[in-house]
Amino acid sequence: LAVFRVAQCDYNAAVLHLEQALRITSRIDNKTLGGVAGSNLALVYTRLGRWHLAIERARSIPSEADPISLSNAAYAESIALSTLGRTEEAIERIQRQTSSQLPSQAWLLQFLAFQQADIFWVCGKRHRAIERAADAARLGEFQALTRGVTGQFARWAYLLASSDAVPARELVAF
């Protein structure tokens, strides 16, 4: 239900469902599902502008959680930190998460690189953001490698096409 509420932009209702999911996963001691619910709750808190709650929830995700949940938690925490003016801490947080995962799957590498590019962008590091997004796009030979990055891919494809970071011959694939 929380995913449905997020899709409707009804973030307050999503919070209620995600909090309920956290209580259930805690009772059954399922750290994987707890990581999913907790990281999604941190992301929803960023949508609501509840920066301190987003940071608190993101930092509570167990290290045993799945790689996507850990990345989403780091992303939510970094967005919140950057919004609070703590840009260096935000960049350090997303870089630490990205470097700690070392995934072997190209789609996950692309997902992490786009998240890192987003954080660089909101922290005012535009050049680094464009470089990182170009790296992410190249991972998939200028295609989104999973549905989970299509929104980020489309946004970055536009920004990359508007910049001189990627040679025109590479952009033909867009």
Side-chain angles (χ1 to χ4, degrees):
L1 288 175
V3 173
F4 177 70
R5 295 297 188 191
V6 168
Q8 291 182 318
C9 299
D10 188 356
Y11 302 118
N12 288 312
V15 166
L16 298 174
H17 293 294
L18 289 165
E19 287 173 343
Q20 181 180 20
L22 278 173
R23 285 191 298 275
I24 292 168
T25 60
S26 177
R27 270 193 307 240
I28 63 173
D29 194 32
N30 188 320
K31 294 192 182 346
T32 300
L33 291 177
V36 171
S39 64
N40 283 324
L41 183 56
L43 289 168
V44 169
Y45 283 148
T46 65
R47 295 288 185 147
L48 290 168
R50 297 179 185 168
W51 312 120
H52 295 289
L53 287 173
I55 293 167
E56 180 182 323
R57 176 51 54 201
R59 290 180 177 172
S60 73
I61 304 304
S63 60
E64 301 88 4
D66 67 282
I68 297 295
S69 295
L70 292 170
S71 294
N72 283 339
Y75 183 74
E77 182 179 347
S78 295
I79 291 290
L81 289 167
S82 66
T83 304
L84 293 171
R86 296 159 58 184
T87 57
E88 291 306 314
E89 192 178 347
I91 290 169
E92 191 277 330
R93 175 66 179 103
I94 199 71
Q95 286 181 318
R96 186 175 67 239
Q97 183 60 37
T98 304
S99 66
S100 72
Q101 293 209 338
L102 302 174
S104 60
Q105 297 144 332
W107 70 268
L108 186 52
L109 284 169
Q110 188 180 56
F111 174 77
L112 296 170
F114 279 132
Q115 282 190 331
Q116 196 173 42
D118 285 348
I119 298 304
F120 285 141
W121 188 269
V122 298
C123 289
K125 310 287 186 188
R126 304 293 198 252
H127 183 72
R128 285 177 72 187
I130 288 172
E131 286 177 349
R132 196 65 184 121
D135 292 343
R138 285 185 184 105
L139 281 169
E141 298 178 0
F142 292 94
Q143 294 182 19
L145 295 177
T146 182
R147 289 184 334 165
V149 299
T150 53
Q152 287 174 306
F153 181 85
R155 180 171 25 84
W156 281 109
Y158 171 79
L159 289 169
L160 290 171
S162 303
S163 75
D164 60 357
V166 179
R169 68 182 178 280
E170 290 185 67
L171 291 174
V172 173
F174 281 142

